[in-house]
Structure formats: C-alpha cells, structure tokens
Amino acid sequence: MALLPTLLLVLAVAAGVSAGEGGEEERTYIVRVDADAKPSVYPTHAHWYEAAVMSASDSSSSGWPEGGPLIHTYSAAFHGFSARMTPSTAAALASAPGVAAVLPERVRRLATTRSPRFLGLLSSPPSALLADSDFGADLVIAVLDTGISPAHRSFHDRGLGPVPVRWRGACSAGPGFPPASCTRKLVGARFFAKGYEAASGPMNASAEARSPLDTDGHGTHTASIAAGRYAFPASTLGYARGVAAGMAPKARLAAYKVCWAGGCFDSDILAAFDAAVADGVDVVSLSVGGVVVPYYLDAIAIGAFGATEAGIVVSASAGNGGPGGVTVTNVAPWMATVGAGSMDRAFPANVRLGDGQVLDGVSVYGGPALEPGKMYELVYGGSSGGASSSSSGYSASMCLDGSLDPATVRGKILVCDRGVNSRAAKGDVVHRAGGVGMVLANGAFDGEGLVADCHVLPATAIGAAAGDKLRKYISSSTKQRPATGTILFEGTRLGVHPAPVVAAFSARGPNPQSPEILKPDLIAPGLNILAAWPSGVGPAGVPSDVRRTEFNILSGTSMACPHVSGLAALLKAAHPTWSPAAIKSALMTTAYVKDNRNGTMTDESTGAIADAFDFGAGHVDPMRAMDPGLVYDIAPADYVTFLCNLNYTEQNIRAITRRTADCRGARRAGHAGNLNYPSMSATFVADGTKATMRTHFIRTATNVGGGRATYRAEVRAPKGCNVTVRPSELAFRRDGQKLSFVVRVEAPVAAARKMEPGSSLVRSGALTWTDGRHAVRSPIVVTVQAPLE
Ligand SMILES: *[C@@H]1O[C@H](CO)[C@@H](O)[C@H](O)[C@H]1NC(C)=O
Ligand SMILES: *[C@@H]1O[C@H](CO)[C@@H](O)[C@H](O)[C@H]1NC(C)=O
Ligand SMILES: *[C@@H]1O[C@H](CO)[C@@H](O)[C@H](O)[C@H]1NC(C)=O
Ligand SMILES: *[C@@H]1O[C@H](CO)[C@@H](O)[C@H](O)[C@H]1NC(C)=O
C-alpha cells in the first residue's frame, strides 16, 4: 500500500500532458463502480479507484496531474469517479472487476437563447395564494448553473427562519465570494471546475471566478425564477416594470456552479448531483441542454436517477432546438422535462418603412433612442452593400464580426439575418461599425418565433414573413429613392392574445431514447422572462456592454425549468410524503392546453395548433397542481422494469440503477409504455399486413383528494383511433387507495399505406378522470409510421 503514493509522485512529473502512450489522446471518463465491490486491501474508495486506473493503463502511460489521476470521486447520487485516461485504458477498465460502466465525458451548453443556434423571450406571475403562504420555507432548491450573485436583493434573507437543521451543505468561498455570502436564503454554494480544467486547461481567472460567483448572469437569473424574494420595483431598463418574485419566494437556495466559459462538463455536473444529494436538497434545477445517447451512457440521466431515488425532484430544461421534431433532450422518465411558452406580455418595437409599411417587431432595448420622426437609411449587407472589402455579402448579411464597412454603415440602420453569431453579438458588431440601429430578421428556418433582447443599440427583431418584405423593399430601392425606416419602441404591453403559445425555440418530441415516454412533460413560461441579474455583467451579455441593470429579460427553456423547480418545492412542502413521480404527476395532470382565447395552444413558429409533442401534458397550472385529486406514482423499482422493457442489458441497467436486474419477469409483464406515467404514447409501425394495430396501457391511480371519491373516465380518442378504458369508473373509499385500469388503443394502420415511406402521422387525444371536483388529464398520443419500403 505504501507503494501507491510513490508511484503517484513519479507519474506526476509529466503532469498536464494530454497525449498518452502511443500518441493516444487522453480524455475524461466517468467510471461507475459497484459500491460494495471495494477490495478490503484499499483503505478508501479513492485508493481503489487510483489503483484501478493505474493497473488498467499501460504502466508506462503518461503522467497524471498532481494529486493523482482522479478528477472527482462520487458517493451519493452515483458511485465511482472521473479521471483522464486514454481510450485503451478506459476499455481495459470497463472489464475490470467491480466496474459497472465507463462513460466518456460530454460537454453541455446552457439552455438560454443567447447562444447563436437558438431563437429567443417571460416571468410567470406567481399566484398571490402561493406566494403569501409559507410554503417552501423549509425546502432547499439546488440550482446547477453558472453560480450566483449572492448580494442581489432577490436573495435577501430578511424574515426567514433559521437554516433547516437537516441541511448539511457548505459554503465554498473564493474570489468575489466571501464566506459571509451564504445566508438563511442562500444556504449553500459550491463550485465544480476540475472536469472543466482537466479538459480545457486552467481557467482565465481574470475572466471568470474560481468560486460560486456568477460572472455570466444565467445562474442568478434561473435561481431567482425558482426562489427569488419579492423585489419591487423590478424592471430592466424600463421594461416589464412590476414586482419580480420567484415561484417559491421563501424556499432556500443552494448554488452549484457547474457551467464555465468553456461549457458544462458531465464530470462536474455529476459531482454537483452527488454533493446535492449528500447536502440534503429537495429539488434539483438543471437549465442545461442534454445529449442524445441511451440513458446508460448519459451522466445527467444517471445522476438524476440517484437523486430521484433519494426522493429529490429533478427538473430540467427540454432544450432550445425547436421548432423541429425529435429535438427534446434530458428525456429520462425520472426527470421533469420542461419546454417553454409565452406569457400574455409583449414588447412591441415595430419597423416603419419609408413606403408606409409597418412590420411587427419586438425588443427590450433600453438606452438613448433614435430621433423621433426621423427616417434613417436602411442597409442590408446581403444586397445593398455594407460589406467591408475583405468580406462577403453573406457574412455582412449575418453581421459577423469584421464584416461591415464603417464608411457605408455609419449613421444607418442595418438589417441583419439571424444565425451563426448570437443576436446580441450582431448588435455589437453594428454598433462598433457606427450603425445607429439594427433590425434582426428571421430566415425561413427561424419562422415567426421572436425573442426580445436588450441590445447595445436601438434594435428590434422581426419574423420571417416581415423579413422577406423588408429585404424586398430594400432591393427595390435606388440611389435616388433609398430605402428608409425607423423603429418605434412601444414599451411593455399586457393582455396579449393568444397566450400562452409554445415558444418557437422550445424543443419538441418525440422522445428519441424511448418514444413510449412522451417528452417534453409540460411547458412553463420561458419567453421574455424578467429575473435577477448580477451587478457586474451587462444585460446584452457581450463584453462591450457597460450598462448595468438589476434585472434582465432572457428567453429559453432555461427560464422555463426553474418555474417548475420552484413549483415542485411548493408541492413538496404542501405534501411532504409525495415522491418525485407523484409531484411530477400533479404538475402534469393539472396542466392546461387551452390559451386565453379558449382555443388549443398554438405554436409560435407557425401560428398553427400545437400538439403533445410541442407542449407535453400542457402548460403548468400552479393552483390546480396543489390539489390534483389523483396521482400516478412510480417507485424506483418500476424504472428497472421500464429499462428491462427497453431491452437494455442487465449491465446497462446496473449502470443506471446500481441494482442487479432480473428482467425475465418484467419482460413477461409487458412493454415500456406500461411505466405508470401520467401521459401515454403509442408508436405503431405499419407492417402492411393488418388494417388495425392495438396496444394497451396499464395505469394505477392513487387517490390524494382527501377521502371517498368516484371518478369517471372521459375519453377524447385521437382522430381515427378507438380508445377504451376498463373499468371506466374508479370508486375510491379512502385517501391513499390505489386502483388500476387498462387503456386499450386501436389505430388505423391501413392509413399508413397512403403515406410517404418513412413518414409518420401523429394524433393526440386525452383521458380525463373526473369526480366533479378534479379533472385528472393524461394526453394520449398515437404515432403511425409508414414502412420505410
Ligand atoms: C483573460 O481574460 C481577460 C479579461 O477578459 C482578457 O483580457 C485576457 O486576454 C484573457 N487571457 C487569456 C490568456 O485568454
Ligand atoms: C371554451 O370552449 C368550450 C368548448 O370548446 C366551451 O364549452 C366553453 O364554454 C368555452 N369557455 C369560455 C370561457 O368561452
Ligand atoms: C424488445 O425486444 C422484443 C423481442 O425482440 C421486441 O418485441 C420489442 O419490440 C423490443 N422492445 C424495444 C423497446 O425495442
Ligand atoms: C373502431 O371500432 C369500430 C367498431 O368496432 C371498428 O369498425 C373500427 O374498425 C375500429 N377502428 C380502428 C382504428 O380499430
């Protein structure tokens, strides 16, 4: 045993080297071990892990950083460690005794729309009843994000009782984050950068802080959405004036900083899950995009399973890859996957053109205005010049860095196409080239989805149809009759119809890993959300932005997720015995699918009716979720049965659940769609032999409505399908009683013969159990896939 430290010392000489023996690149792997498999010769798990890595690697392998090969060790949400090693070492390790799985590190991105690929807009008005109640005061919400700005008034601890006694968390001090940063409101703060630095080298300490301090703004924003205090007046540069409050204003917060300038690394995220479980949090909020890999290779899905088993609700953003199909991420059935909707608030900033046309736009620009009444010359880099000599019309049309010619641009309003660089960065490029304003135009791909941004110059965003009109107007202009226009900023408008709509960027189903589980689960406000912002960061999120604002307006499923995290904390406070699955069920079965015009919610990108692949069970309804009547509960063992029915191997299942699974019984019992989920999704592949295909869903409802109750099934069958429910009446005699039923679905597969090969037909319906007081709604989605030929 004394050999081990010596060996480490020798190996440490080559610290920082990342190419291993034989030129193989080293990378980070996350290794799952069987917790009770540690040979007794090793005093601690860390000793065993180090020895395992060393013996799996060729002994002449490259060195490890000071302190040994381990990056993190995990023991609560997960058992195992992360380490740098070559792929061949990882492969050798995978077959070592006690090793359940070896996962390659992946890098995730924040799910705001500030990143270039996405579109971008709200804050939910918390109901007076929930906000006034003491609900949530003893619960801790973990926010895994970019850290937190601890001194913000949204995180003041005035009037809060002592820190809950069961709290075991810590406050890690560091640059910009003195030990006194933690309070009775912000009860814990930690940071996890070892995985990031192992992959990217030491961080730039003048650009980011090796502490829980938020130098980006995203983490402060999301934390205040989940659990910010009342802050009045709150607005960003004059927009959205009013009270800012999180969903659970009295809940405690714990910040786990896992996202850095270089991204959010799985090994660090897993370390945060592990710490959060050990610290005793109640809810984990994760506004970070996912990856599309099977659950047994997905570190977030595995970490979230460990947290769920410990009774913690995990709420995650669905991602911003919409409006295309199969874009949803963070799709494991034990997580709540949250998409984004709009609120009935808008920030109109329309473009008036020289020929009298007015194009609808949106903006939350705040700062020196354009001259009232003056018409400015409009320039579009894609057609009417404006490109610098060294760049193409294409990059000028996108307003990429360095693409604009200051001599042409000065004093004009630039039209920039959306895409490639971020929306705020385009404003910065135009500003630096001397432009006085910008109109950001969607292309066909972006559709009509708009995000209001706090640009560094007067700017607005317009949809694809308006963008076409604008480009056409500019291309028809001449030297004698130049294209002119101005932007009319109209401030904040309330009572907008229709609302909510599904945000264009919100990621869509079906679920690529298990289509039997409908994802996203639900939507929450995620468009133009006002929430807390750090004092050291400009609202546009570009370095040149020297404006300061206490609140900022951002859009993304990143903003939708913490609404659900805060609500989950309120539900858990009101119903301490409910499992994470019961809480999720309450949120889903009470969600609504109608907008404020009493029509089915629509899709922002097209204006067409949206369906369950867009909004899941619907838009979250906090008041109704408190009293759902029935819940569909799921125990950890049920997920094992589910994984068996996905045909995962026992080794795969063990990587997720730490349990040895015997799948024989489970496979006999049915199919993955029989997980007791609050929604139902059936996929049929037409094989051309039968006219109709059938499936069934077994569900068990638990009565949480407070006593005797009789529920009747109301079915709205998906068009062309037959749905029957047996029994069609559930008579509960007492609270907590469980009753099961079967839903049979028949779909007309014959229709698929007329479809394009490989295309699919989606039909939505619903099953609603009602007792006169509650309506417990589950979407039923039927997908018929035409044969590939
Ligand atoms: C570190 O960040 C500072 C401030 O943003 C920047 O000026 C400097 O160039 C960066 N250094 C490196 C090595 O990237
Ligand atoms: C909404 O529409 C439904 C039918 O689609 C109708 O029964 C109901 O009365 C309407 N509600 C309102 C408030 O208009
Ligand atoms: C699992 O395998 C069985 C038998 O081969 C098959 O019928 C079933 O469709 C498979 N399930 C999934 C989810 O792939
Ligand atoms: C639905 O039921 C009717 C009556 O039993 C039957 O004629 C029809 O074919 C069924 N449709 C499907 C899609 O199975």
Side-chain angles (χ1 to χ4, degrees), residues 60-296:
S60 63
S61 166
S62 79
W64 282 287
E66 212 173 320
L70 304 187
I71 296 172
H72 292 289
T73 59
Y74 311 105
S75 59
F78 187 89
H79 271 96
F81 62 93
S82 45
R84 300 284 288 175
M85 59 185 104
T86 60
S88 47
T89 302
L93 199 56
S95 53
V99 172
V102 179
L103 323 176
E105 169 103 297
R106 292 186 167 84
V107 189
R108 323 263 178 157
R109 302 282 161 204
L110 294 167
T112 39
T113 64
R114 284 190 297 147
S115 82
R117 267 190 53 230
F118 307 135
L119 322 184
L121 157 92
L122 153 85
S123 155
S124 171
S127 82
L129 191 144
L130 289 176
D132 290 347
S133 77
D134 218 21
F135 287 158
D138 278 322
L139 297 191
V140 182
I141 301 175
V143 180
L144 276 53
D145 210 300
T146 62
I148 195 160
S149 180
H152 198 282
R153 64 183 158 121
S154 289
F155 308 129
H156 203 283
D157 71 353
R158 194 182 315 111
L160 286 179
V163 173
V165 289
R166 66 196 163 73
W167 177 246
R168 297 178 298 272
C171 195
S172 311
F177 207 90
S181 300
C182 291
T183 61
R184 283 168 293 153
K185 177 68 180 176
L186 180 63
V187 297
R190 298 178 186 268
F191 61 97
F192 302 88
K194 288 183 188 160
Y196 166 44
E197 295 193 293
S200 314
M203 70 178 76
N204 180 349
S206 52
E208 48 187 338
R210 195 190 303 279
S211 77
L213 182 71
D214 182 10
T215 54
D216 175 277
H218 190 273
T220 298
H221 202 264
T222 56
S224 74
I225 293 170
R229 305 295 303 269
Y230 283 118
F232 178 84
S235 68
T236 178
L237 305 174
Y239 289 90
R241 212 175 278 285
V243 183
M247 299 309 290
K250 290 192 167 182
R252 318 299 173 117
L253 282 165
Y256 296 81
K257 183 172 173 182
V258 296
C259 292
W260 305 87
C264 328
F265 288 72
D266 271 3
S267 58
D268 293 332
I269 295 173
L270 198 51
F273 263 110
D274 208 52
V277 169
D279 290 348
V281 309
D282 298 285
V283 175
V284 168
S285 189
L286 184 71
S287 291
V288 171
V291 295
V292 180
V293 291
Y295 303 130
Y296 56 85

Side-chain angles (χ1 to χ4, degrees), residues 490-513:
E490 291 173 19
T492 307
R493 189 194 296 158
L494 300 173
V496 171
H497 291 80
V501 300
V502 180
F505 57 78
S506 189
R508 314 301 165 97
N511 177 344
Q513 292 310 317

